Amino acid sequence: MDPNKVLWSVIGTNVGVYLLWQYAINSYKQFGDAHWLNIMRKHFISSPEAMHNGRYHTLLTSAFSHKSLDHLGLNMLVLYSIGQGVIEAIGASRFLILYAGAGITASLVAVGYRKYIRPLLEKEKYGSVMAITSFFACAYPRATFLVFFIVPMPAIAVVGLFAAYDIYQASTLEGGIVDSAAHIGGVAYGAGYWFLRVRPMLRAGRWRV
């Protein structure tokens, strides 16, 4: 598979789902028609309720779901910036497996967090691009990222800082436009794929980065 076509197909799918969200939201706001909004909520959001009703496909479809333009733009910028490097490291087909697997894992972590962990934290008063990013950081730890497009930092440090921030957000119930629990799941999946799958094969001389 052509790496460019694979990368742009993933980005295009994310953009397409975002446009569907916008159409659904605008149809509801302008005409009071909630039909498409209900469809998007039913099939593109992972939740304990979705799992209870057998909508397991939402574990994957939610990985392509962004309702805000800034969140979509940031994720697609990161994906475009490092996606080529990851595809070159593991190949286009494994890239798709990594992306899909990470999305499902991140969704499972987010659902588990909302169903089991968050209620405990509240009682006590106290999600695929992240996987690609953490995998890239493990494969190329000294690659330079520009934080806020200004401050140069090694990739492994940037991912570590973002992971620490997401853990803080999830543990303190701080609000935000992104699902911190899903991010944590994505980071863990990407790092796990590197250390458990790719790195052993590199040591055995069966893979190259």
Side-chain angles (χ1 to χ4, degrees):
M1 290 182 284
D2 186 331
N4 278 321
K5 289 182 180 179
V6 170
L7 186 58
W8 281 109
S9 294
V10 173
I11 292 174
T13 301
N14 278 274
V15 173
V17 173
Y18 169 78
L19 293 176
L20 287 174
W21 270 112
Q22 297 311 303
Y23 175 79
I25 292 170
N26 289 330
S27 293
Y28 178 71
K29 287 182 177 179
Q30 293 183 15
F31 308 110
D33 182 5
H35 174 70
W36 285 105
L37 189 58
N38 289 335
I39 288 177
M40 296 303 293
R41 286 174 172 170
K42 187 175 181 179
H43 296 290
F44 287 89
I45 294 179
S46 61
S47 66
E49 183 268 339
M51 297 300 97
H52 178 74
N53 288 285
R55 298 197 299 275
Y56 303 113
H57 60 279
T58 58
L59 293 173
L60 178 60
T61 57
S62 61
F64 297 91
S65 189
H66 303 78
K67 285 198 293 183
S68 65
L69 184 59
D70 51 354
H71 190 205
L72 171 73
L74 179 60
N75 272 1
M76 294 307 99
L77 176 62
V78 172
L79 185 60
Y80 176 78
S81 300
I82 67 175
Q84 284 283 5
V86 175
I87 292 175
E88 289 176 5
I90 64 176
S93 59
R94 290 189 179 93
F95 172 83
L96 292 175
I97 293 172
L98 174 62
Y99 189 95
I104 293 171
T105 301
S107 295
L108 285 171
V109 172
V111 169
Y113 171 79
R114 285 194 289 267
K115 186 173 182 179
Y116 300 109
I117 300 176
R118 188 180 180 97
L120 291 176
L121 294 174
E122 288 175 337
K123 185 177 181 181
E124 296 174 3
K125 304 302 181 185
Y126 257 99
S128 289
V129 174
M130 286 301 294
I132 302 298
T133 306
S134 65
F135 179 92
F136 180 89
C138 291
Y140 309 101
R142 297 182 181 178
T144 301
F145 281 1
L146 290 178
V147 180
F148 303 117
F149 303 101
I150 299 175
V151 182
M153 291 183 66
I156 195 70
V158 173
V159 172
L161 287 174
F162 274 105
Y165 176 74
D166 280 318
I167 292 172
Y168 169 79
Q169 289 282 87
S171 63
T172 58
L173 304 179
E174 292 291 332
I177 62 170
V178 296
D179 194 325
S180 295
H183 277 191
I184 295 168
V187 169
Y189 187 93
Y193 192 88
W194 165 259
F195 284 107
L196 299 178
R197 171 66 175 168
V198 177
R199 194 178 183 188
M201 296 188 73
L202 284 173
R203 288 180 170 177
R206 297 170 57 193
W207 210 322
R208 285 187 179 182
V209 173

